[in-house]
Amino acid sequence: MIAQRIDIHRAHGRRRQARAAQPGRTFHLEDTQKVRAGILLVFFIALFAVLLYRAFDLTVLKHDTLVTMADRMHDISIELTRPRGEIVDRNGVPLAVRTMTDSVFANPRELEDLEGATALLTRTLSLEANALREKLANKSRGFVWIKRKISPAESAALPTKMPVGVGRVNEAARQYPYGRLAAALIGFSNIDTVGLEGLELQYDKVLAGQPGKMIGLRDAHRRVFFPDGVQVRGFEPGGTLKLTLDVHLQWFAENALDATMVEFKPKAAWAVVMDVQTGQILAIANRPTYDPTAPGDYPPEFRQNRALINRYEPGSTMKPITMASVLQEGKVRLDEKIYCESGSWNLYGTVIKDAHAHGWLTPAEIIQVSSNIGAAKLGMRLGREKVWGWLNRFGFAHPTGIDLPGEASGQMLPWSVWYPVAVATHSYGHGFSVTALQMLCAISALGNRGQLMKPYLVAETLDAAGRTLTRNYPQIRARVVSEYTAQTVLDMMKLVTQEGGTARRAALEGFEIAGKTGTAYKVNPLTHKYDKGRLVSSFVGLAPGDNPQLAIIVVVDEPSGHAFGGTCAAPAFRDIAENSLRYLGIYGRREDNERPTAPRPLLVQRANPAPAGALDVRVPADGQTPNFLGLTMRRAVSLAIERGIEIHPFGSGVAVQQSPPPYQALPTDKVVVVQFGPSS
Amino acid sequence: MVDKTRPRGFSFDRPLLLLVAIVVSLGLVMVSSASFPLDENPYHYFVRQLCFVLVGLALMFFIGSRDIRRFDSKTLVYALVIAAVILLALPFVPHVGQKINHARRWFKLGPVSGQPSELAKGIALLFFAWYLAHKGEGIRAFWRGVAPITVVAGVFIGAVIIEPDLGGSTMIGLLLMVMLFLAGARLRVLTLYSIIGGAGFTAIMLTSAYQRIRFFSFLHPWDDPTGASYQIKNSLIALGRGGVGGVGVGNGLQKLFFLPEIHTDFILANLGEELGLIGLWATFILFGVLVFRAMRLAMRSREPFVRLIGAGAAALLGLQVVVNAGVVMCLLPTKGLAIPFMSYGGSSAILNFSLIGLILAVGRASAPRTAPEPTSAWSPLRDRASGGLEDSCSDGPSTSISWGSAESE
């Protein structure tokens, strides 16, 4: 302290001496220093101002750009499956539904206990241990799926607290409650639930929805982590597709085709049921078919919607069209008789034959007995240009415009290059090809006062909240013939199923059926000539005959045993028509239809009857789960809809297990998981 | 020596201490946030930084409670300059020096390790203040005034530059310029020095490959985002992510190994990311006020040494902030300089707390002490020689007698 004081005194002394020696000048230096300190401060203020501005520039002005760059570095987004919306029939019965399943993933870099995790996942997910261990041990990957869309049983087997580095996420899966029903029509989607065929493809935009994304972060070492747990963002369920299809009619059509397949063992068979008045498609059945949950297991042709895609020579089913054209042109009188050359007519060196020899036939008889020569002679009255023109008016050689992908338009050469005999062959349905849908539409026009309708399959598209996005209405493509002409030809077609007609097997007790058989030889692709051994047999008809409601076409491709349309297609037509008319409550005669409608008959399941004894008849109280056990998936879904609950079906067969069990309190989300399996 | 008349209580400058307390707290929060992913033990760096801060605070109060004029000692200054030269040589001694990131900036002697260039800055400051205070008017002469101090500064700069620590040497060079400017050196000398310094800086930048890469990555940070400019690019991204309010303390993502040295030289980037523009502006304003306050405390004094050491310390703090922030915000090429009180690091903490200690001592020395119940009779006396009298009255019993007598009246 003393030393300090001395020091101070010394300093004092020095300053005093300095001041004394140079009076005034010390103060000058001090002033200079103070001014310069001020300048320095101003300089610092300027520098800090630059810093403040730069901070503003980076954090605010360049914020968006830099955040984008940052997000690109930090964020990792793992896209989950698309929550596809439902496809339902005209009554709301779901044909394709969304279910939620768990998927298991891992972050190999975060994994602590490789062996433990491998053991757990092998045990619970029935995976192959070595492949799994290899996957988990690969530290170069930040994120890896272990198994997607695991079963509820596997989900339940997994521990709630997953080992570090392993996680699970809930994602959408696709289920088809009716299995193969309408499979070719609905199509299917892939593992990422992207629509690949059929309606799933055509309406992918409506159905797909926004896939959920697992938003994770990753550090500079590419480690993925989920700081707030696994969160799925951006999940927006897809919209609903409401079809004009009726699941019951679809079922009748497929059942009928199954019987045809068994009886006639054809290469393929297909059928379409359409509402005559509106053009709404009620059923499109295809055989053989495939399982939409495993489309890869089937050859591509099994997945085809043949009613739209397969072209065939229509044969005699074309005769009513020829007849309508000739009548409309006024080139034939109804009481006229046409000579049918006793069954064999050499025209320009080509011999046209009838199945049975006939002499003179009225136009109605030509349709009834299906005389090729008669039809040819009628067609020739029009000339090739008009025959061609009329076929086009009825919609042949043009796509019908149905809202399904891949529709074929058929093949028809322009009239100018026709051989002379082509006028005759086109008149009885040879020398050009059509699709079943084209033929059905053309015949429907005769049952719809001459109006050609545009067929359609989707009644409405709805968003996830149930609001209508688009709605389809019946659309008249053309009025092709007069109502009188249409009615006249329709009356002729009724004769076909009556005594003396070619399709007695299509007759239905209590109903009049207007229809036409068709049988054509197929062209052998090797010889380019008609192959007498290979037929396409078909039947197209309208029911009931005096007030057509349903138009049904059945096409059988290469039936065995040389079965003509009246033999193999007509019975299938009758099966479909009978079931459908009963189901819809339509009576044979007009006056019958005006009676109060009887209760709608229940769907009779012939193919896969549920074990009647096993069914539980107790009615669950409100707020209780119904008993699904023992029910088929169809019945379970119907019951669920009736009870206003959601069902998540798994497997196939009959319900063997459900969660929660029957007659328990209904969960708040009203979801019941039902496991289907082979009935015991 | 109980002296009733000695001014009681707290003689440190409260505003300065408050500013330091805020900045240090903010710094601790940032170090803790930025460093937790870096080590197995998430508190590793935080705890160490806390120790550095506590040591620094002790040092600050120790220096702050000294009489600043005790540093105006030839013996002390010479001893420290020699010590500095020895310390600066340590990184080159085998087994003691440590090479980190291409540079020999570290020494390690048993449990003690440090960056001598940090301490060299403080010692250079003391030497400059001492020399210039004694030169007085003589600084206006070149050969007898400016040249000797330039030689000593040159030794410091040279010793730091060969580590290489361009940032440290630049800092000492800038400090020399500021001190010469404050002391009243002729402006043409300063202009000449600026040109020489700028040329030298550029020459080193362009001749050393290491520095050249850093320099060009500063000019074009987005050209080569994974290579040389990786660090500066990630610094800008961190700042940009912050926006106005930041992503919240602890929520920054650039610390996840994207931005190297985020807990040391680039702590400001973490602050910008987590506290946003508000945090950055608050930090700059706090430092700005701190420099301003320190400068004012220094300029209150009429003693050249007190003024110069105070203003020099203030300038050294301010320069570190400006240069570090400039680097972090890509206004200056990357140098490897810490920001005071925020960057993790012991040597930096020791230097900067010492600087605050010096400023506190300067504040105490320059405080215009209002005597208890001063009478108008004392005013002329204080006006004439305020500094000397006031300080002596607070420090020694000899002067307290006179004050005591005045008070007893």
Side-chain angles (χ1 to χ4, degrees), chain A residues 507-548:
Chain A
L508 205 58
E509 204 171 325
F511 292 92
E512 279 190 310
I513 301 292
K516 186 69 196 80
T517 54
T519 309
Y521 293 115
K522 286 178 82 173
V523 173
N524 189 317
L526 298 174
T527 59
H528 297 284
K529 286 184 178 155
Y530 285 113
D531 183 341
K532 299 280 180 194
R534 298 204 283 176
L535 296 174
V536 179
S537 301
S538 60
F539 186 89
V540 58
L542 303 169
D546 54 359
N547 175 29

Side-chain angles (χ1 to χ4, degrees), chain B residues 27-37 42-43 46 267:
Chain B
L28 276 173
V29 171
M30 279 303 121
V31 164
S32 136
S33 156
S35 68
F36 78 79
Y43 304 110
F46 172 69
I267 192 82

